[in-house]
Amino acid sequence: ETKMKEEAAVIKYALSYRHSGAFILADLVGKYLIARYGYQNATPLEVSLSAHTSGFSPLIPTHAMESSSIDTFLTALPEANLLIKRKAQDVLAACYLEEKIRKPNITVDQFLDFGTHGALSEYIKWNNNLSGVNFGEVFSYEDLFEVPEQVLFKVLTRMKGHLNEDKILLDVIDKVLLESPMSAYNGGDAVNISREVFNTIQHEHIKINLGTIRV
């Protein structure tokens, strides 16, 4: 049994827009740490936040929705900032499906609102706010689903503290993904969900408006 080791570690941030994978990634990290080191009475997310007890940097998932919180990432070491980037159309489609639960009568055009207050504008604003942030690495949401073992291995390697000499075990990663397959994340989490939500004209409008994103 591997001995638990605790060390002061630089916090890592899994940063994404809503429905873009930050919390999914933290969940998988927590499940790996539980399978590798054993934690009692803690959720995977709680374990991800307390990863220093097994010699890893804590991984905090966040959407950083408030402009004021961007300062945290502007001043952090680049290695602390890990961006999970999802195709914009899928992000907006997932957000629309969530909003439609609360407002069943809302249309796609009302939700997107190609003016100044719709979801598309908010998404563009979020990206532009992050234009000055240095990222240690940018991970593709699509890769998280298509090659999750590779993404999880890379993230865990970045999280591992300098006092921790343990190897990242691929068989444990495989075990985690076998017990919690990516196919369990469905609905708005699905890759290319926008094909089922937006028509051709709406896709084109989104594409045109995304031209104002700086990052």
Side-chain angles (χ1 to χ4, degrees):
E1 183 175 330
T2 305
K3 183 180 179 181
M4 299 279 277
K5 56 190 67 114
E6 184 169 351
E7 64 174 292
V10 176
I11 292 173
K12 300 290 193 294
Y13 296 96
L15 182 63
S16 75
Y17 195 72
R18 290 162 50 210
H19 301 296
S20 297
F23 284 81
I24 292 175
L25 182 59
D27 181 65
L28 292 174
V29 164
K31 287 174 178 174
Y32 173 88
L33 295 176
I34 289 171
R36 179 77 166 92
Y37 297 99
Y39 286 79
Q40 298 298 319
N41 302 317
T43 67
L45 182 55
E46 290 170 340
V47 172
S48 176
L49 298 176
S50 60
H52 64 283
T53 58
S54 48
F56 285 76
S57 298
L59 182 70
I60 299 177
T62 180
H63 302 321
M65 294 298 289
E66 296 297 327
S67 297
S68 59
S69 67
I70 301 300
D71 291 341
T72 299
F73 311 105
L74 287 171
T75 57
L77 294 172
E79 67 179 37
N81 295 322
L82 308 178
L83 177 67
I84 301 91
K85 192 170 181 63
R86 186 180 188 184
K87 188 168 71 173
Q89 288 88 340
D90 282 353
V91 172
L92 294 166
C95 290
Y96 171 70
L97 293 176
E98 179 188 58
E99 185 71 5
K100 197 165 177 64
I101 294 174
R102 293 193 291 266
K103 302 176 182 177
N105 296 324
I106 190 171
T107 67
V108 169
D109 288 338
Q110 287 171 339
F111 172 76
L112 292 174
D113 181 6
F114 297 104
T116 58
H117 301 295
L120 179 58
S121 297
E122 287 302 310
Y123 176 79
I124 292 171
K125 178 181 177 182
W126 181 84
N127 276 277
N128 288 340
N129 280 342
L130 293 178
S131 63
V133 173
N134 290 319
F135 292 101
E137 191 160 355
V138 177
F139 294 97
S140 160
Y141 180 92
E142 290 72 26
D143 283 349
L144 178 60
F145 275 75
E146 293 171 13
V147 284
E149 57 284 336
Q150 293 182 22
V151 175
L152 189 51
F153 180 84
K154 283 185 177 182
V155 172
L156 288 165
T157 300
R158 282 186 167 276
M159 289 175 60
K160 194 157 70 76
H162 68 282
L163 297 181
N164 190 337
E165 298 178 352
D166 301 335
K167 292 182 178 179
I168 306 299
L169 299 181
L170 292 175
D171 59 331
V172 177
I173 289 178
D174 289 341
K175 177 177 182 289
V176 166
L177 294 172
L178 184 63
E179 294 177 353
S180 301
M182 300 307 292
S183 58
Y185 301 102
N186 50 35
D189 294 326
V191 174
N192 292 324
I193 186 65
S194 61
R195 293 176 182 174
E196 301 175 18
V197 177
F198 303 137
N199 61 36
T200 303
I201 294 175
Q202 290 161 345
H203 268 287
E204 189 61 27
H205 276 301
I206 292 170
K207 183 178 178 180
I208 291 171
N209 280 271
L210 290 178
T212 61
I213 289 182
R214 294 197 297 267
V215 294

